[in-house]
PDB file of all heavy atoms in Angstrom:
ATOM      1  N   PHE A 173      -1.873  12.606 -19.641  1.00  0.00           N
ATOM      2  CA  PHE A 173      -1.502  12.811 -18.241  1.00  0.00           C
ATOM      3  C   PHE A 173      -1.087  11.487 -17.611  1.00  0.00           C
ATOM      4  O   PHE A 173      -0.101  11.425 -16.865  1.00  0.00           O
ATOM      5  CB  PHE A 173      -2.678  13.418 -17.480  1.00  0.00           C
ATOM      6  CG  PHE A 173      -2.405  13.659 -16.017  1.00  0.00           C
ATOM      7  CD1 PHE A 173      -1.369  14.485 -15.608  1.00  0.00           C
ATOM      8  CD2 PHE A 173      -3.189  13.058 -15.039  1.00  0.00           C
ATOM      9  CE1 PHE A 173      -1.122  14.711 -14.254  1.00  0.00           C
ATOM     10  CE2 PHE A 173      -2.959  13.273 -13.693  1.00  0.00           C
ATOM     11  CZ  PHE A 173      -1.919  14.104 -13.299  1.00  0.00           C
ATOM     12  N   VAL A 174      -1.811  10.422 -17.903  1.00  0.00           N
ATOM     13  CA  VAL A 174      -1.446   9.099 -17.383  1.00  0.00           C
ATOM     14  C   VAL A 174      -0.041   8.728 -17.837  1.00  0.00           C
ATOM     15  O   VAL A 174       0.790   8.270 -17.039  1.00  0.00           O
ATOM     16  CB  VAL A 174      -2.459   8.033 -17.837  1.00  0.00           C
ATOM     17  CG1 VAL A 174      -2.061   6.660 -17.307  1.00  0.00           C
ATOM     18  CG2 VAL A 174      -3.863   8.392 -17.379  1.00  0.00           C
ATOM     19  N   ASP A 175       0.246   8.924 -19.122  1.00  0.00           N
ATOM     20  CA  ASP A 175       1.582   8.618 -19.648  1.00  0.00           C
ATOM     21  C   ASP A 175       2.652   9.426 -18.926  1.00  0.00           C
ATOM     22  O   ASP A 175       3.721   8.901 -18.580  1.00  0.00           O
ATOM     23  CB  ASP A 175       1.632   8.916 -21.148  1.00  0.00           C
ATOM     24  CG  ASP A 175       0.867   7.908 -21.993  1.00  0.00           C
ATOM     25  OD1 ASP A 175       0.669   6.768 -21.521  1.00  0.00           O
ATOM     26  OD2 ASP A 175       0.472   8.259 -23.123  1.00  0.00           O
ATOM     27  N   ALA A 176       2.369  10.720 -18.696  1.00  0.00           N
ATOM     28  CA  ALA A 176       3.354  11.585 -18.045  1.00  0.00           C
ATOM     29  C   ALA A 176       3.580  11.171 -16.594  1.00  0.00           C
ATOM     30  O   ALA A 176       4.719  11.201 -16.096  1.00  0.00           O
ATOM     31  CB  ALA A 176       2.891  13.040 -18.115  1.00  0.00           C
ATOM     32  N   VAL A 177       2.504  10.781 -15.902  1.00  0.00           N
ATOM     33  CA  VAL A 177       2.619  10.329 -14.510  1.00  0.00           C
ATOM     34  C   VAL A 177       3.511   9.092 -14.435  1.00  0.00           C
ATOM     35  O   VAL A 177       4.431   9.008 -13.606  1.00  0.00           O
ATOM     36  CB  VAL A 177       1.221  10.035 -13.920  1.00  0.00           C
ATOM     37  CG1 VAL A 177       1.343   9.291 -12.590  1.00  0.00           C
ATOM     38  CG2 VAL A 177       0.444  11.326 -13.727  1.00  0.00           C
ATOM     39  N   GLU A 178       3.258   8.141 -15.310  1.00  0.00           N
ATOM     40  CA  GLU A 178       4.036   6.897 -15.285  1.00  0.00           C
ATOM     41  C   GLU A 178       5.469   7.124 -15.739  1.00  0.00           C
ATOM     42  O   GLU A 178       6.406   6.494 -15.222  1.00  0.00           O
ATOM     43  CB  GLU A 178       3.333   5.856 -16.143  1.00  0.00           C
ATOM     44  CG  GLU A 178       1.983   5.432 -15.546  1.00  0.00           C
ATOM     45  CD  GLU A 178       1.206   4.470 -16.421  1.00  0.00           C
ATOM     46  OE1 GLU A 178       1.578   4.320 -17.612  1.00  0.00           O
ATOM     47  OE2 GLU A 178       0.220   3.875 -15.926  1.00  0.00           O
ATOM     48  N   ALA A 179       5.663   8.043 -16.686  1.00  0.00           N
ATOM     49  CA  ALA A 179       7.025   8.357 -17.134  1.00  0.00           C
ATOM     50  C   ALA A 179       7.841   8.990 -16.015  1.00  0.00           C
ATOM     51  O   ALA A 179       9.073   8.883 -15.994  1.00  0.00           O
ATOM     52  CB  ALA A 179       6.973   9.296 -18.342  1.00  0.00           C
ATOM     53  N   ALA A 180       7.168   9.646 -15.073  1.00  0.00           N
ATOM     54  CA  ALA A 180       7.848  10.271 -13.940  1.00  0.00           C
ATOM     55  C   ALA A 180       8.115   9.278 -12.813  1.00  0.00           C
ATOM     56  O   ALA A 180       8.636   9.659 -11.762  1.00  0.00           O
ATOM     57  CB  ALA A 180       7.007  11.436 -13.417  1.00  0.00           C
ATOM     58  N   GLY A 181       7.756   8.009 -13.036  1.00  0.00           N
ATOM     59  CA  GLY A 181       7.987   6.987 -12.022  1.00  0.00           C
ATOM     60  C   GLY A 181       6.923   6.933 -10.950  1.00  0.00           C
ATOM     61  O   GLY A 181       7.130   6.327  -9.893  1.00  0.00           O
ATOM     62  N   LEU A 182       5.758   7.534 -11.219  1.00  0.00           N
ATOM     63  CA  LEU A 182       4.659   7.540 -10.269  1.00  0.00           C
ATOM     64  C   LEU A 182       3.549   6.607 -10.737  1.00  0.00           C
ATOM     65  O   LEU A 182       3.502   6.220 -11.902  1.00  0.00           O
ATOM     66  CB  LEU A 182       4.097   8.962 -10.120  1.00  0.00           C
ATOM     67  CG  LEU A 182       5.094  10.038  -9.676  1.00  0.00           C
ATOM     68  CD1 LEU A 182       4.485  11.429  -9.853  1.00  0.00           C
ATOM     69  CD2 LEU A 182       5.507   9.818  -8.225  1.00  0.00           C
ATOM     70  N   VAL A 183       2.641   6.274  -9.843  1.00  0.00           N
ATOM     71  CA  VAL A 183       1.505   5.416 -10.171  1.00  0.00           C
ATOM     72  C   VAL A 183       0.272   6.283 -10.380  1.00  0.00           C
ATOM     73  O   VAL A 183      -0.023   7.162  -9.560  1.00  0.00           O
ATOM     74  CB  VAL A 183       1.245   4.389  -9.051  1.00  0.00           C
ATOM     75  CG1 VAL A 183      -0.015   3.583  -9.342  1.00  0.00           C
ATOM     76  CG2 VAL A 183       2.450   3.466  -8.886  1.00  0.00           C
ATOM     77  N   PHE A 184      -0.430   6.036 -11.467  1.00  0.00           N
ATOM     78  CA  PHE A 184      -1.712   6.697 -11.705  1.00  0.00           C
ATOM     79  C   PHE A 184      -2.806   5.823 -11.115  1.00  0.00           C
ATOM     80  O   PHE A 184      -2.951   4.660 -11.498  1.00  0.00           O
ATOM     81  CB  PHE A 184      -1.942   6.898 -13.201  1.00  0.00           C
ATOM     82  CG  PHE A 184      -3.232   7.599 -13.537  1.00  0.00           C
ATOM     83  CD1 PHE A 184      -3.350   8.970 -13.399  1.00  0.00           C
ATOM     84  CD2 PHE A 184      -4.335   6.873 -13.979  1.00  0.00           C
ATOM     85  CE1 PHE A 184      -4.540   9.618 -13.706  1.00  0.00           C
ATOM     86  CE2 PHE A 184      -5.531   7.509 -14.284  1.00  0.00           C
ATOM     87  CZ  PHE A 184      -5.635   8.886 -14.152  1.00  0.00           C
ATOM     88  N   ILE A 185      -3.586   6.372 -10.185  1.00  0.00           N
ATOM     89  CA  ILE A 185      -4.635   5.594  -9.531  1.00  0.00           C
ATOM     90  C   ILE A 185      -5.872   5.648 -10.418  1.00  0.00           C
ATOM     91  O   ILE A 185      -6.759   6.484 -10.260  1.00  0.00           O
ATOM     92  CB  ILE A 185      -4.917   6.126  -8.115  1.00  0.00           C
ATOM     93  CG1 ILE A 185      -3.632   6.064  -7.285  1.00  0.00           C
ATOM     94  CG2 ILE A 185      -6.022   5.306  -7.441  1.00  0.00           C
ATOM     95  CD1 ILE A 185      -3.761   6.679  -5.904  1.00  0.00           C
ATOM     96  N   GLY A 186      -5.891   4.732 -11.375  1.00  0.00           N
ATOM     97  CA  GLY A 186      -6.959   4.702 -12.360  1.00  0.00           C
ATOM     98  C   GLY A 186      -6.573   3.778 -13.496  1.00  0.00           C
ATOM     99  O   GLY A 186      -5.580   3.042 -13.416  1.00  0.00           O
ATOM    100  N   PRO A 187      -7.338   3.813 -14.580  1.00  0.00           N
ATOM    101  CA  PRO A 187      -7.081   2.908 -15.705  1.00  0.00           C
ATOM    102  C   PRO A 187      -5.839   3.303 -16.495  1.00  0.00           C
ATOM    103  O   PRO A 187      -5.275   4.391 -16.305  1.00  0.00           O
ATOM    104  CB  PRO A 187      -8.345   3.046 -16.556  1.00  0.00           C
ATOM    105  CG  PRO A 187      -8.830   4.425 -16.254  1.00  0.00           C
ATOM    106  CD  PRO A 187      -8.523   4.651 -14.803  1.00  0.00           C
ATOM    107  N   SER A 188      -5.447   2.429 -17.395  1.00  0.00           N
ATOM    108  CA  SER A 188      -4.296   2.707 -18.257  1.00  0.00           C
ATOM    109  C   SER A 188      -4.648   3.766 -19.291  1.00  0.00           C
ATOM    110  O   SER A 188      -5.823   4.008 -19.601  1.00  0.00           O
ATOM    111  CB  SER A 188      -3.865   1.426 -18.975  1.00  0.00           C
ATOM    112  OG  SER A 188      -4.875   1.018 -19.897  1.00  0.00           O
ATOM    113  N   ALA A 189      -3.620   4.395 -19.839  1.00  0.00           N
ATOM    114  CA  ALA A 189      -3.837   5.372 -20.907  1.00  0.00           C
ATOM    115  C   ALA A 189      -4.496   4.709 -22.107  1.00  0.00           C
ATOM    116  O   ALA A 189      -5.347   5.313 -22.779  1.00  0.00           O
ATOM    117  CB  ALA A 189      -2.505   6.001 -21.302  1.00  0.00           C
ATOM    118  N   LYS A 190      -4.140   3.461 -22.363  1.00  0.00           N
ATOM    119  CA  LYS A 190      -4.726   2.734 -23.491  1.00  0.00           C
ATOM    120  C   LYS A 190      -6.235   2.562 -23.306  1.00  0.00           C
ATOM    121  O   LYS A 190      -7.014   2.764 -24.249  1.00  0.00           O
ATOM    122  CB  LYS A 190      -4.059   1.367 -23.624  1.00  0.00           C
ATOM    123  CG  LYS A 190      -4.593   0.532 -24.783  1.00  0.00           C
ATOM    124  CD  LYS A 190      -3.884  -0.822 -24.859  1.00  0.00           C
ATOM    125  CE  LYS A 190      -4.464  -1.666 -25.997  1.00  0.00           C
ATOM    126  NZ  LYS A 190      -3.807  -3.002 -26.064  1.00  0.00           N
ATOM    127  N   ALA A 191      -6.652   2.214 -22.087  1.00  0.00           N
ATOM    128  CA  ALA A 191      -8.083   2.030 -21.823  1.00  0.00           C
ATOM    129  C   ALA A 191      -8.838   3.348 -21.942  1.00  0.00           C
ATOM    130  O   ALA A 191      -9.949   3.404 -22.477  1.00  0.00           O
ATOM    131  CB  ALA A 191      -8.286   1.422 -20.440  1.00  0.00           C
ATOM    132  N   ILE A 192      -8.241   4.424 -21.438  1.00  0.00           N
ATOM    133  CA  ILE A 192      -8.885   5.733 -21.531  1.00  0.00           C
ATOM    134  C   ILE A 192      -9.030   6.156 -22.983  1.00  0.00           C
ATOM    135  O   ILE A 192     -10.080   6.659 -23.401  1.00  0.00           O
ATOM    136  CB  ILE A 192      -8.098   6.791 -20.736  1.00  0.00           C
ATOM    137  CG1 ILE A 192      -8.140   6.467 -19.238  1.00  0.00           C
ATOM    138  CG2 ILE A 192      -8.658   8.187 -20.986  1.00  0.00           C
ATOM    139  CD1 ILE A 192      -7.293   7.394 -18.384  1.00  0.00           C
ATOM    140  N   ARG A 193      -7.988   5.923 -23.775  1.00  0.00           N
ATOM    141  CA  ARG A 193      -8.064   6.284 -25.197  1.00  0.00           C
ATOM    142  C   ARG A 193      -9.132   5.459 -25.906  1.00  0.00           C
ATOM    143  O   ARG A 193      -9.853   5.969 -26.758  1.00  0.00           O
ATOM    144  CB  ARG A 193      -6.705   6.080 -25.860  1.00  0.00           C
ATOM    145  CG  ARG A 193      -5.659   7.118 -25.464  1.00  0.00           C
ATOM    146  CD  ARG A 193      -4.403   7.029 -26.325  1.00  0.00           C
ATOM    147  NE  ARG A 193      -3.482   8.101 -25.973  1.00  0.00           N
ATOM    148  CZ  ARG A 193      -2.424   7.965 -25.172  1.00  0.00           C
ATOM    149  NH1 ARG A 193      -2.158   6.764 -24.641  1.00  0.00           N
ATOM    150  NH2 ARG A 193      -1.644   8.989 -24.898  1.00  0.00           N
ATOM    151  N   ALA A 194      -9.236   4.195 -25.535  1.00  0.00           N
ATOM    152  CA  ALA A 194     -10.218   3.324 -26.187  1.00  0.00           C
ATOM    153  C   ALA A 194     -11.636   3.817 -25.958  1.00  0.00           C
ATOM    154  O   ALA A 194     -12.504   3.677 -26.821  1.00  0.00           O
ATOM    155  CB  ALA A 194     -10.070   1.891 -25.677  1.00  0.00           C
TER     156      ALA A 194
END
Side-chain angles (χ1 to χ4, degrees):
F173 179 59
V174 179
D175 287 337
V177 168
E178 293 176 346
L182 302 168
V183 175
F184 181 78
I185 301 175
S188 67
K190 181 180 178 181
I192 294 175
R193 288 190 176 99

